[in-house]
Amino acid sequence: MLVSVRSGFLILMTVALPCPLLAQTVPVDVPSAPAPAESADASGDIVVTALRRQSTVQTTPIAISALGEGQLAKLGATTIADIIRQVPGLQLTESDSGRTRVSIFTYLTAAHGYNSGGFNQQLGGPSADGRFPSSYDPEKLWSYEAGVKLDLLDRRAVINLSGFYQKYTDIQASVNVLVGNVSTRQVQSAASAHKAGFEGEFVLRPVRDLTVRGNVSYLTQGYDSIRPNAVTLTLDTPVNSAPKYTYSAAVAYDLHVGGGLVTPSVDVRGIGKKPACQSGADYVCRLPAYALVGFRLDYSPDADGRWRIGVYGTNVLDKVTQQARTGYFGGFGIDRYTPGRPQEFGVESSLRF
C-alpha cells in the first residue's frame, strides 16, 4: 500500500501479487513532504515509479486510485480517513490511540501439481494402445483461488468470501477398457474435468450481546472430455461424492445474571444431495439432502467463562439421515445405508486452565 501527494494529486496504490497476501494492519499518516514514487509529466499523465521503472497509470499492472485536488474538495475530504474510503478494497479501523489504520484482507493464489504416470503390468492380451505393458500419462492440476476478508464496524461484522476454480487433465482412474474387444479394468488417463465453487462466512454482532454466525458453500463439478477407452465414464458421471451445497447458521445471546453469564443459542446445519453407491468410477444413487436443528443453553458463574456448564440438543427434530449407502446393482447385493446420529440431549461441563 502506498500513499503519496504529488502535483495536486493524492495517489493510493494496492499491488496485486500472484501469491497469498497476508492480512496486515499498518498505521498510515498523510506525508508532510512529497514522496518520489509518482509524478505528473508535462502532458498531465501520472507517472508511476513504484515498480522501479517509469510507467503511466494506464499501463501499470496495479490497482491505482488517483484523486485530484478538485475531487478532494468536491468530496469534502479533509482527513486520510475521508480519502481512503474512496478506494475500493480498503478498510479503515480506529486504534486506541485515535490513529487511523488501513487494513487489506485480500489474497490470490495459483498452484500447479501433478501425479506421475505409470504402467499396467497385468498379463493378458494386447493393451488398448497396442503396447505392453500399457501406460497412462501424468495427471495434472491447475488450481486458482481468490478471496477477501472484511473486518467492519469495529469488528461488529466480520465477512470472509472466497472462490476457486480447478482444472484437471489426464485424470487417472480405474476404469473398464476394451482390450481386444474384451472389457477389463485398468488404470488409464481417462478424462479431464473441472471444479468451481465459492464459500462465504460471517460473524455479526449488531448489538453488544447478540452474535449471529453463518456460512455457505457451493460446488459445481463435471467432466469436460472423456477418452474413448474409458467406457464406464460419461459426461454426467460425478467427479466425486461431494455435495453441491452446505450451509449452517447460529444465533446466540448473552444474558448477564448476577455476575454470571447465561447464553442460549440455536443452530441449523444443512447438506445437499450427495452422489453415493459407487460402482467402479460411477455413482448410481444419491443420498438425500437434510437439515438438522440443535440448541445449547450455557451458564458461566464469572465473566471470563473459565468454568461452564450447559445443556444441549442435537437433531432435535429427530430426522433420519443417510451418511453412506452401498446400493443395489443389476439384481445383486443388498441396498443398505449407514444412518446419521438420532435425536440426542445431554449435559456437559468444562473448565479452562
Side-chain angles (χ1 to χ4, degrees):
M1 170 68 191
L2 176 63
V3 178
S4 71
V5 178
R6 185 74 171 175
S7 301
F9 284 86
L10 187 141
I11 302 164
L12 305 107
M13 300 192 303
T14 304
V15 180
L17 301 175
C19 61
L21 296 180
L22 300 180
Q24 302 182 26
T25 302
V26 295
V28 174
D29 298 311
V30 177
S32 56
E38 296 84 24
S39 63
D41 63 13
S43 64
D45 288 335
I46 298 174
V47 178
V48 181
T49 58
L51 300 182
R52 302 181 184 275
R53 60 181 177 82
Q54 289 192 356
S55 61
T56 65
V57 172
Q58 291 79 7
T59 60
T60 303
I62 56 179
I64 300 176
S65 296
L67 303 177
E69 181 179 358
Q71 291 173 285
L72 295 177
K74 185 176 180 180
L75 293 170
T78 58
T79 67
I80 187 65
D82 296 333
I83 297 169
I84 301 296
R85 289 191 186 97
Q86 308 303 318
V87 181
L90 300 184
Q91 177 208 336
L92 297 180
T93 58
E94 195 76 16
S95 68
D96 295 337
S97 62
R99 300 180 67 189
T100 299
R101 294 177 180 266
V102 180
S103 300
I104 304 175
F105 299 83
T106 60
Y107 68 92
L108 173 66
T109 64
H112 180 58
Y114 75 97
N115 188 19
S116 62
F119 298 90
N120 292 292
Q121 301 184 25
Q122 73 269 29
L123 297 177
S127 62
D129 56 13
R131 296 176 296 173
F132 183 82
S134 65
S135 63
Y136 47 93
D137 298 329
E139 179 178 334
K140 300 177 182 179
L141 166 68
W142 272 104
S143 178
Y144 310 91
E145 183 174 354
V148 59
K149 300 176 183 293
L150 304 175
D151 187 348
L152 309 172
L153 304 175
D154 196 21
R155 296 193 62 80
R156 289 196 296 272
V158 178
I159 302 172
N160 300 328
L161 302 172
S162 64
F164 71 92
Y165 179 83
Q166 297 176 339
K167 177 64 177 180
Y168 296 82
T169 55
D170 298 325
I171 296 175
Q172 298 169 6
S174 178
V175 298
N176 288 339
V177 299
L178 294 177
V179 179
N181 293 325
V182 177
S183 179
T184 184
R185 294 197 66 79
Q186 288 185 350
V187 176
Q188 286 291 314
S189 300
S192 64
H194 72 274
K195 297 180 184 178
F198 69 85
E199 182 174 3
E201 60 180 350
F202 65 87
V203 180
L204 305 178
R205 298 181 178 90
V207 295
R208 174 189 171 191
D209 296 313
L210 176 64
T211 302
V212 181
R213 304 175 183 270
N215 68 68
V216 61
S217 65
Y218 179 82
L219 172 69
T220 179
Q221 58 179 330
Y223 286 106
D224 300 317
S225 63
I226 298 174
R227 295 195 179 186
N229 60 326
V231 296
T232 55
L233 292 179
T234 70
L235 293 179
D236 296 325
T237 302
V239 179
N240 58 38
S241 61
K244 179 166 288 189
Y245 64 87
T246 64
Y247 63 89
S248 68
V251 180
Y253 192 84
D254 294 331
L255 301 171
H256 302 268
V257 179
L261 200 63
V262 177
T263 306
S265 63
V266 62
D267 62 86
V268 61
R269 178 174 62 91
I271 296 179
K273 291 189 298 184
K274 296 174 56 176
C277 306
Q278 186 170 8
S279 175
D282 200 3
Y283 299 85
V284 298
C285 71
R286 299 291 185 271
L287 302 183
Y290 63 85
L292 303 180
V293 178
F295 75 88
R296 291 190 63 91
L297 181 63
D298 294 309
Y299 171 70
S300 178
D302 47 38
D304 60 12
R306 291 182 60 250
W307 179 80
R308 187 185 68 180
I309 187 171
V311 297
Y312 66 88
T314 59
N315 191 9
V316 296
L317 302 180
D318 202 21
K319 284 196 170 184
V320 177
T321 63
Q322 298 181 17
Q323 303 302 306
R325 186 176 169 185
T326 58
Y328 184 68
F329 309 103
F332 297 95
I334 300 175
D335 189 4
R336 61 183 182 270
Y337 70 86
T338 302
R341 299 180 71 91
Q343 181 187 70
E344 294 178 300
F345 301 96
V347 179
E348 65 180 15
S349 180
S350 63
L351 176 64
R352 291 191 294 109
F353 295 95

